[in-house]
Amino acid sequence: MIFVLSKRFFPFFNTFFWGALNDNMFRNALVIMITYQSGFSKGTASALSYLAMAALMLPQFPFSATAGQVADKYPQHKLFRWIKFAEILLMLLTFAAFCFHTIPAVCIPVLLVLLFFMGTQSAFYSPVKYAYIPRNMPEDLVRGNACVSAGTYLAILFGTILGNEVITLPYGAYVTGGLLVLIALIGYGAARFIPELPSPQPDLRVDWNPVVSTKPIMKTIFHDFVLRHCVIGLSIFWMAGALYVSQLAGFCKEVIGAKESLVMIFTLLFSVGVALGSCLCSLVRKRFNVVRLVPVTLILMALFTLDLFFASQTWSTPECALGVCDLAAIPRFYRFVADLILLAMCGGFYSVPLIALLQKTAKKEEMARVVAGNNIINAAMIGLGSICSAVLMFTGMIQVEGIFVIVACINFAAAIYLMRLKNCSV
């Protein structure tokens, strides 16, 4: 607790917390609007939900490498403020788009475009965020990243609750847009308290050509054994997490046969699980080499994911949507709950050592560029996974629960790949 409230960490924590909350409130409100309020068909709604995730992640490709150069060139405290100010402008436009919620054919495409611009803002924000801890708290890499991971998923939790609940209120679209603007203002206020941080490489030349700026950092990552394994491992994690979260609304509606309130409950359980797993990693870091536990947690994630699929095969979807209280009276429902919490805890534990190891391995003067390269590959995996899932769902080749089998197989393969990091430590 003392660490979280320190002058070095607390303003930084508040800045990224409110930003993550805003991103997820926006995206989840849009997914609920698409799934439950737009009147689109099952396949179209599922495909648009995946496209919402893809729209948020695709900007990482053209902008991340340049964003990493910007983060290595300019003072971090100024970048935090500039980026949060851009968020305010985007949220004002989002509020205007929500005002046309009664015309889904107009409102939803515009919101998807704005979600793309939010992804662009995030592409510039992420290298600054993940370069902050190794530059300013190098002695606390695991604990700092555990707090960032836990805080991020708690922000996802609260953002999802707000997005899911507020959009369903009378005049919910207007209230949602107004809250997005308010939260952006709070995040900018928090950024004003981040202490002054000098530039790590002020003479660096920023190249705005995405191809030219991406090539050298990709070379740095893939020519280094540890960085390469960390980045690929993190990309698997983010792709799996994106597919889990994107599919929750469809899974709750089409498989379990639940009302939209269960989407909020399941997202709550997933976010709390990741936060608990991150905190557990921080607690055991002094007793165990947590890097060696990475493949184990990934295998467990795959097993719990497969069990979600098998549980769905024995579940009879009701004709009428069930509420949370109705589901709570069915013992078999708790199998879904247990699988979701346990796979989320494993995910939270799994990601923290890889992030810390990446930060420890990267050179200080190019930390943000390495983070940016990691973001590009993460986005590639998330975008590829989301688009392929959308196509498979839209064409009817797989059902909602079939995504879990695909993710589990990828997790098993990644666990074998990451066993080569067994001699590393953080």
Side-chain angles (χ1 to χ4, degrees):
M1 180 61 70
I2 294 176
F3 173 78
V4 174
L5 296 177
S6 67
K7 292 182 179 179
R8 290 186 301 170
F9 191 81
F10 189 63
F12 163 70
F13 181 90
N14 267 286
T15 301
F16 80 74
F17 178 88
W18 292 108
L21 189 151
N22 225 19
D23 286 348
N24 286 277
M25 180 181 173
F26 182 11
R27 189 182 64 82
N28 282 281
L30 180 55
V31 168
I32 292 296
M33 180 183 288
I34 290 169
T35 305
Y36 288 97
Q37 300 177 1
S38 65
F40 292 130
S41 67
K42 172 184 172 181
T44 301
S46 294
L48 286 173
S49 296
Y50 279 119
L51 288 177
M53 176 60 70
L56 194 61
M57 299 308 302
L58 287 176
Q60 300 286 346
F61 293 109
F63 301 118
S64 282
T66 299
Q69 293 178 347
V70 170
D72 280 331
K73 179 178 178 64
Y74 296 102
Q76 282 185 328
H77 65 287
K78 291 184 178 180
L79 290 174
F80 276 117
R81 296 168 190 174
W82 295 342
I83 293 169
K84 298 304 288 185
F85 181 74
E87 182 181 329
I88 295 173
L89 299 179
L90 285 171
M91 290 303 97
L92 288 171
L93 293 173
T94 301
F95 174 74
F98 269 117
C99 292
F100 292 90
H101 66 281
T102 56
I103 314 174
V106 174
C107 175
I108 289 176
V110 172
L111 288 173
L112 285 171
V113 171
L114 288 170
L115 198 61
F116 177 86
F117 284 111
M118 279 296 292
T120 303
Q121 184 253 3
S122 296
F124 280 88
Y125 181 71
S126 184
V128 188
K129 171 185 173 182
Y130 282 102
Y132 183 90
I133 291 176
R135 284 176 180 169
N136 298 280
M137 292 167 275
E139 72 283 0
D140 284 309
L141 287 180
V142 173
R143 183 167 58 166
N145 282 292
C147 290
V148 168
S149 179
T152 298
Y153 273 90
L154 288 175
I156 291 172
L157 165 62
F158 293 125
T160 300
I161 291 173
L162 285 172
N164 289 1
E165 292 298 305
V166 175
I167 196 67
T168 61
L169 295 173
Y171 306 103
Y174 303 107
V175 178
T176 299
L179 279 176
L180 291 172
V181 175
L182 177 61
I183 293 168
L185 289 169
I186 295 172
Y188 176 77
R192 301 290 302 180
F193 289 93
I194 292 179
E196 292 191 9
L197 302 167
S199 167
Q201 195 173 353
D203 58 343
L204 178 67
R205 186 179 70 86
V206 176
D207 195 325
W208 295 96
N209 184 323
V211 176
V212 175
S213 59
T214 300
K215 185 177 178 180
I217 199 59
M218 290 294 108
K219 183 178 179 180
T220 297
I221 290 173
F222 283 98
H223 282 198
D224 186 286
F225 174 86
V226 176
L227 290 179
R228 181 172 68 249
H229 280 71
C230 287
V231 168
I232 292 175
L234 288 168
S235 297
I236 296 296
F237 168 75
W238 286 111
M239 183 196 69
L243 293 179
Y244 288 137
V245 174
S246 294
Q247 198 54 34
L248 277 181
F251 184 74
C252 292
K253 180 183 178 182
E254 306 297 341
V255 177
I256 297 179
K259 297 178 180 178
E260 56 262 45
S261 56
L262 185 65
V263 180
M264 180 192 71
I265 299 297
F266 268 16
T267 306
L268 182 153
L269 294 175
F270 188 85
S271 299
V272 170
V274 173
L276 289 174
S278 301
C279 293
L280 180 63
C281 183
S282 179
L283 290 174
V284 305
R285 72 189 190 281
K286 292 185 178 179
R287 295 195 174 193
F288 302 97
N289 179 1
V290 290
V291 176
R292 289 191 173 186
L293 298 177
V294 165
V296 177
T297 54
L298 194 53
I299 290 172
L300 290 174
M301 281 182 67
L303 292 175
F304 293 131
T305 302
L306 279 178
D307 196 61
L308 273 176
F309 170 77
F310 290 122
S312 68
Q313 300 306 295
T314 61
W315 181 268
S316 298
T317 306
E319 294 182 3
C320 299
L322 300 178
V324 176
C325 293
D326 299 322
L327 291 166
I330 304 174
R332 286 187 298 159
F333 172 70
Y334 291 98
R335 183 176 175 183
F336 292 117
V337 174
D339 284 336
L340 192 66
I341 293 175
L342 290 171
L343 76 87
M345 287 184 65
C346 291
F349 194 108
Y350 160 79
S351 62
V352 170
L354 289 180
I355 297 172
L357 184 59
L358 180 145
Q359 292 169 334
K360 178 182 177 181
T361 306
K363 296 178 182 179
K364 184 177 180 180
E365 64 273 12
E366 60 182 17
M367 179 69 65
R369 278 168 286 170
V370 170
V371 171
N374 173 61
N375 291 344
I376 293 171
I377 300 169
N378 290 352
M381 292 293 289
I382 293 172
L384 179 63
S386 298
I387 292 172
C388 288
S389 298
V391 171
L392 292 172
M393 291 288 298
F394 188 73
T395 57
M397 295 179 65
I398 62 172
Q399 300 298 314
V400 172
E401 62 272 25
I403 297 296
F404 295 136
V405 177
I406 296 173
V407 173
C409 292
I410 294 172
N411 285 349
F412 277 123
I416 296 172
Y417 178 73
L418 292 175
M419 286 179 182
R420 301 175 70 185
L421 291 178
K422 62 182 180 181
N423 294 324
C424 299
S425 62
V426 289

